[in-house]
Each structure stands twice: as structure tokens, then as C-alpha cells.
Amino acid sequence: MSQSPKIIYTIIDEAPALATYSLLPIVQSFTKQAGIEVETRDISLSGRILANFPDHLSPEQKIGDYLTELGELTLKKEANIIKLPNISASIPQLKAAIKELQEKGYKVPDYPESPKTEEEKTVKDRYAKVLGSAVNPVLREGNSDRRAPLAVKEYAKKNPKTVPMKPWATGSKSRVSFMKSGDFYGSEKSYTVESPTSVKIEFVDSSGNSKVLKDNLKLQAGEVIDSSVMSEAKLRKFVEEQMEAAKKDDVLLSLHMKATMMKVSDPIIFGVAVSVYYKEIFDKYADTLKELGVNPNNGIGDLYNKIQSLPDDKKSAIEKDIQELYKTKPRLAMVDSDKGITNLHVPNDIIIDASMPVVIRDGGKMWGADNALHDTNAMVPDRCYATMYQTMVEDCQKNGAFDPTKMGTVPNVGLMAQKAEEYGSHDKTFQISENGTVKMIDSSGKVIMEQSVEKGDIFRACQTKDAPIKDWVKLAVNRSRLSKTPAVFWLDKNRAHDAQLILKVETYLKEHDTNGLEISIQSPVDAMKYTLERIRKGQDTISVTGNVLRDYLTDLFPILEVGTSAKMLSIVPLMNGGGLFETGAGGSAPKHVTQFIQEGYLRWDSLGEFCALGASLDHLSNVFGNNKAKVLADTLDKAIGKFLDNDKSPARKVGQIDNRGSHFYLAMYWAEELSNQTADSELGSKFSKLAVALKENEEKINQELISAQGKPVDIGGYYRPDATKLSKAMRPSQTLNTLLDSIA
């Protein structure tokens, strides 16, 4: 093991990337006093694109394949990575990033949505490594331990206005609607492999012709493999029925899914909803839209973008017909009512783990075209998790809104190591081209499962290795004992995959001392009822879930408890001894970038980064026996408490404290705590002068930071901003910069 303690800080996208230019110099100034190096690695969307196309770049344009490098690092004990939220890119985002890179002189190829040549197919395959949740499966070589830091939870209880909960009206008509048949839940089959083997996924059409969809899929002993199908025909019927129901009930129609993480399956589902809602438009202008290459999977926004090339009279006719269509269809929920952007505009605008918590927080309502809140029929087509959301809606309709001043907390232990349960975001998901059967055949020729399919259906398979499941159970038991909190495995015995996991959980729980612990296995509906009953009493409950449900719950409960999931502490104890420290969600990041560019004000709250840094330093001190790192961690924790008590998080408007000001106060409080501690006199001496200087210059530094606000900022690009311009924009206080550089 290297004797030089090192933290890798990831360079990512949007608002947290901007914030890094202000925060990282502070972090590096402090940590170097303990002999700790903090290095960066670029795993941003643009960085991932460049790393995958070195043959299209000049020597000076090439960058390392840092995602692969970090993936290899996660297998080592000394791994210590702070991962900020990255873009799980949809196709529209990918294409926008490609366009920006090309305009900057990077000769990366266009993304071929419908490849015709072998070369285009190869390019599309290379871009597939960039799309969707490309980062997380590579770095998550451990399971997830995610919870609200105590200081954050206590702050929310004392300051409920930070969690803007709206009341639930008597007679609320909001509901979560889902398919009753033909979905993934209803068709799922699951199989546990007894000994190592390899599997191929083969499609056989109605004439007996076969085609291998995926070959040589290696499976370990004890690994769980699943297959499931969503019927396109039944999905279309479901959307039609829900449109009629929304119209009849006079509520908004909305769709909630994750077309970024579920990058293969969910854009198709999204596209079905778009094509059903706008059916008359797609039918009337079929030839024109086909010629333009309009793809409903990319949303109605794709149509609006591509008709711009038409003559004005043709473009206006289509736009007029769309507006007429809105008069006869159910009202759509809006993403941005001021700009007329609907819930069906682009797939990356509707991310279920961010959208559904806001529906709950807003009294079961969403924004309509009239810029007012209304009840909604929230479509979540697949039953795997839709029923859980409906259970919460029913609870709120019965018991009213949650009270942040009294709520318990719901930490999560999530199964995600070694790409566990990566539904829809990998190379084992396909849209079927014609009627037939999809078979999974092992190396001995045995058909281990098969699914009947029709043209347009979505077939998906996924794997969950045994070692991560075993580690997941261990982590759940440890967390339950450490926090003295009941733990619930959210597993449904009536779902094929969960039934396999239940057998393993029951087996592995016997390997641990669970005396005195409350550990149970409940379906998502029952687990939600149990958890909500406790949370309303102020009691805590650990949710122990699979990967997708982990993703949903670690936004749902934090948004209701503390106002945002960006403030969560997300620790991934890597299975080989290292640590991955994630900093929360970035769902609001695009809006913050827009505001910064327009008026030089960045609302991004870096509290998640602060908490992750503390956990990272604590882990580093344990691995390397570095006592100074421990002192840094302990004093940072106290500084965060002082930061929250003094309300130094970013405000909302120009002239108030923004992200850069919040970083200054963290530095000042951290220096104060370091100067006051007695565990390390050397660190105390080094930071005492800085603490005094920062306090003496507080007014001057604030003035320099505030003065930088209120005017447009050129950052040199959205997906690949200019580093020099960003550094200048994010570090406008020369007084603060000089003091940080002066630490001896």
C-alpha cells in the first residue's frame, strides 16, 4: 500500500462542477497540512466522451480513461474516492454535449441513432459506454450506506421552513396509476445458478429462425439471473386508459420514470406515452416527421427541435395543431409552465426519484399550464415500485402532510455492489423486432428460462452476484446494531427476483448475531406502511433494499425529511476495504447553472460534499493510521454543525450568500475548530493564524464575493466549461485566496 494518503475528488458536471472550483482549493489547503494529497479525475459526461474516442483527437486534446482507472482503484484497500453527482446522460444530453465538443474543435463523431453502416454501429456501441448510469456501476464495488447526517436532521427539525411541505386537501384526487398486467413485475422469472456457467440470450421468431442477442454472459455460482418483459400493446392501452381517467377526474396527467439510469427500457416507455398522447399529430404528419427523423423516445421536444428546419407555413401548421390537441386531451403536468415545457418534453426532465417526492411534498399536486398546483394522475407503469408510491399517497390523504419537526428518519442500506440489479441500463435489454420467444440457454444447452414476446415489447435481464448479497446482509445487521434501529428488507415474496433474494437473506442472516435486533422482511407496500407509521411517531427505520429501490428511497425520504437528497451522507464501504463517498443528488443542478450564467449567483449547496469529505478523512485515518486526518475529520464535523446553526447555506437571490460565500464560512469555522482543538498542537498552531485572519477579514471577503454577483458570467461552455474562466468566476475574493495560500 502507498504510504502517501490520497483522496481522489471527481470532476463531474453542471452546478457541483462549478462549485468544485471554489471548494477544492480550500480542501487542498487544509488537507496538505496533514500530508494528504487530494487529486482530481475527470469523469464528466464530456470527459467520458473524449476518453472513448482518443482516435478522433489531437495529442493535446486526449485525456485519460479516468473512469476505468477509478474502477480499478476501487478494488484496492487504499481506495478513497469522493464522487460528486454526475449526469446519467439521456440521448438528447449526449447529443448536446457532442455538439458543444465539436464546436470547440474536438472531432468526435455524431451520435448515430439509426446506424446504417458497420462503422456507425461501432460508433453507437462506443457511445453506449457513455450513456445513462455509466459511472455508478463501475465505481460501486460495494453496497450503499446512506443516511441524513445528524447535524442536517437536527437543523431541519429546528428550521422546518427549509422543508416547504404543503398541506393535503380534503378530497384529494391524486393517485399513482400502474399496469395490472403485461408489465415487468407480472412477467418476471428468476433463477439462481448452482455452479459457474455462461449463458446466451437468444431470440427465436415464429418461423423458428434464431438470433443471438447476447452471447457468453458469464455467471458465478450462486448468482441470481432474471428476465422480464413489458408488453408494448398493453402499455399503450394503459396510457390510453389513464388519459381517459385523468380527463374524467379533471386532474393533471403525468409520467414518472428514470430514462437516464434505465437508459434502454425507460426511453422506450416514455416514447410510447408521447406517441399515444400526441397520436393525432404523429398520424397526420407521419411522412414529414419520419423524414425529419423525429423520435418520440426523445420527447415532444425532439419534434419541436426538428420542425424548425421546415418552411414557416408547415412548421406553424404543426405547432397550431399541437395547441388545438391540448384543448381535447387531459391537461399535462408541467416541468416549466412559464416556458410551456410539459412533462412529456424530454425524457431526462422526468426523473422519478426527484419528481415523486415533490408530488408528495406539494400535497399530491403538480404544476399545470396555468402556473398553479393541481391534483395529478401520476403514471408509473411498472408495478415493481409504483405500489410503494401509491401507499405513501394514500397515507398522506388519510393522515395529512408530514411534519419535518417531528419526523423520524429512514436511512438506507442498498444492494448495488458489482452492478447488482442494474435494470435497463446495460447490454441485456432489447426492444423486440417481431413476435417470438426469447430464451436464456446455459453452456450445457439447457434452457433456464424463456419469455414469449411480441413486436415492440421490451425484454430485459439482469444479474445479482452472491457476494454482494452476502455483504449487503452483513452491512444491514451492522447498521441495525450500531444505530439500535429496526431494519426492514423491502422484498416481495410474490415477485420472482425478490423470492430468490429472500431465500439468500434468510440463509445469510443466520451467520450473524441478531439477538436484540428487529430485522424483518416485508413487501414494499407493507414496508412502506410500517415505516410511515413509525416516521410519524418520530421513530427511525432502516430500509434495506435492492439497487433501484435504493435509488428511489434515498431521494424520497431525504426530500421529505430535510428538503433535499443533496445533503445526505452516502458511504459505500468497498468490498476490498476501500471507501467511496458520494455527495448526494444533482437533480437541481441544471437550473443552478442557468442562474449562475445569467446573474452570477450559484445556489448549489455543497453540504453533501462537506459531509462526504468528513467521512473520507475519517476512513483515511483508519486505513493509514493518520491521526492528523482524524483531527481534520472531527473538527470538520463540528464546523459543519456551526455552519448549519449560523445558517450559512446558499440563499436564493442576488445580493445574498451564495455557494462561494458558504465555502468561505465553512473554511472560517473549520479553521476556528482546528485552532481550538488540543489533539494535535502542530495543526492548532498552523490554523490559529488563519482563523484569526479570516475572522478579521470576514466583512471584506463577503463584500468581494457579493460584488461578483449580479451580472452574466461566461464560463466557456455547459458540458466542457473553460477551467480558467471558471476559476476566476468561482474565486472572486483575492483576500480569501491569498489567506488560503498563506497557510505554512
Side-chain angles (χ1 to χ4, degrees), residues 319-330:
E319 291 175 339
K320 182 180 178 182
D321 281 350
I322 292 174
Q323 294 307 310
E324 288 298 314
L325 176 140
Y326 287 137
K327 296 176 182 178
T328 63
K329 300 285 185 178

Side-chain angles (χ1 to χ4, degrees), residues 10-289:
T10 59
I11 301 299
I12 33 69
D13 310 280
E14 298 179 326
L18 270 58
T20 294
Y21 279 82
S22 167
L23 179 59
L24 190 59
I26 294 171
V27 172
Q28 291 173 323
S29 295
F30 278 65
T31 55
K32 73 178 181 181
Q33 309 310 318
I36 300 167
E37 297 177 53
V38 180
E39 298 181 354
T40 61
R41 297 291 186 276
D42 183 354
I43 56 172
S44 65
L45 174 56
S46 63
R48 303 195 309 266
I49 292 171
L50 297 178
N52 273 280
F53 290 94
D55 48 323
H56 290 252
L57 306 175
S58 64
E60 61 273 14
Q61 290 177 329
K62 293 180 182 179
I63 69 171
D65 184 357
Y66 297 123
L67 182 56
T68 298
E69 176 190 327
L70 293 186
E72 294 169 354
L73 177 61
T74 62
L75 302 176
K76 300 177 181 178
K77 186 178 181 181
E78 64 265 30
N80 192 314
I81 303 167
I82 297 177
K83 188 191 86 66
L84 281 69
N86 55 280
I87 294 177
S88 293
S90 64
I91 289 175
Q93 288 174 303
L94 174 67
K95 291 168 74 173
I98 292 169
K99 184 174 183 289
E100 181 179 313
L101 287 171
Q102 290 172 340
E103 290 171 349
K104 288 177 175 288
Y106 297 94
K107 296 180 180 179
V108 293
D110 290 333
Y111 176 75
E113 284 193 62
S114 303
K116 297 177 178 61
T117 66
E118 286 302 316
E119 182 181 355
E120 287 181 339
K121 289 178 183 176
T122 300
V123 169
K124 186 175 183 180
D125 287 343
R126 290 169 75 175
Y127 273 126
K129 299 176 183 177
V130 177
L131 276 168
S133 188
V135 172
N136 294 339
V138 175
L139 299 188
R140 287 173 170 170
E141 276 291 319
N143 292 308
S144 169
D145 176 5
R146 201 163 191 207
R147 55 192 184 272
L150 182 60
V152 174
K153 182 68 175 173
E154 290 303 313
Y155 178 79
K157 285 185 173 183
K158 289 185 286 187
N159 299 273
K161 289 183 179 180
T162 61
V163 188
M165 204 80 68
K166 292 183 172 65
W168 283 70
T170 303
S172 165
K173 294 186 286 186
S174 291
R175 67 184 175 98
V176 177
S177 55
F178 43 85
M179 297 169 71
K180 301 300 189 291
S181 65
D183 59 350
F184 293 123
Y185 178 95
S187 63
E188 189 171 65
K189 297 180 181 180
S190 190
Y191 179 81
T192 299
V193 178
E194 292 183 1
S195 56
T197 186
S198 62
V199 167
K200 66 177 177 180
I201 304 174
E202 184 176 87
F203 171 70
V204 183
D205 67 21
S206 52
S207 300
N209 301 310
S210 64
K211 177 185 178 182
V212 175
L213 301 177
K214 178 73 178 177
D215 201 8
N216 198 30
L217 189 62
K218 298 189 183 303
L219 301 176
Q220 300 174 1
E223 188 161 358
V224 179
I225 186 159
D226 311 324
S227 71
S228 57
V229 176
M230 177 169 281
S231 163
E232 185 193 34
K234 290 187 177 181
L235 174 62
R236 286 186 180 279
K237 184 180 179 183
F238 164 76
V239 176
E240 290 167 356
E241 290 171 347
Q242 298 313 314
M243 286 172 58
E244 291 176 13
K247 184 79 172 175
K248 179 183 176 183
D249 295 340
D250 191 26
V251 298
L252 302 179
L253 183 73
S254 59
L255 178 67
H256 305 261
M257 53 181 40
K258 192 149 188 178
T260 48
M261 185 171 85
M262 314 293 202
K263 67 182 181 183
V264 181
S265 60
D266 280 21
I268 298 170
I269 299 170
F270 180 84
V272 168
V274 171
S275 63
V276 170
Y277 188 90
Y278 295 96
K279 183 178 186 299
E280 291 85 349
I281 303 298
F282 281 96
D283 286 349
K284 182 175 180 178
Y285 298 100
D287 292 341
T288 299
L289 299 182

Side-chain angles (χ1 to χ4, degrees), residues 679-716:
D680 190 301
S681 58
E682 184 183 2
L683 283 177
S685 175
K686 283 186 175 182
F687 282 97
S688 59
K689 292 180 182 178
L690 179 65
V692 171
L694 290 174
K695 187 64 178 176
E696 288 177 346
N697 287 277
E698 178 181 359
E699 186 176 341
K700 182 180 180 182
I701 291 170
N702 268 323
Q703 184 57 45
E704 290 173 348
L705 294 173
I706 297 292
S707 296
Q709 301 176 14
K711 47 187 176 290
V713 179
D714 174 17
I715 62 173

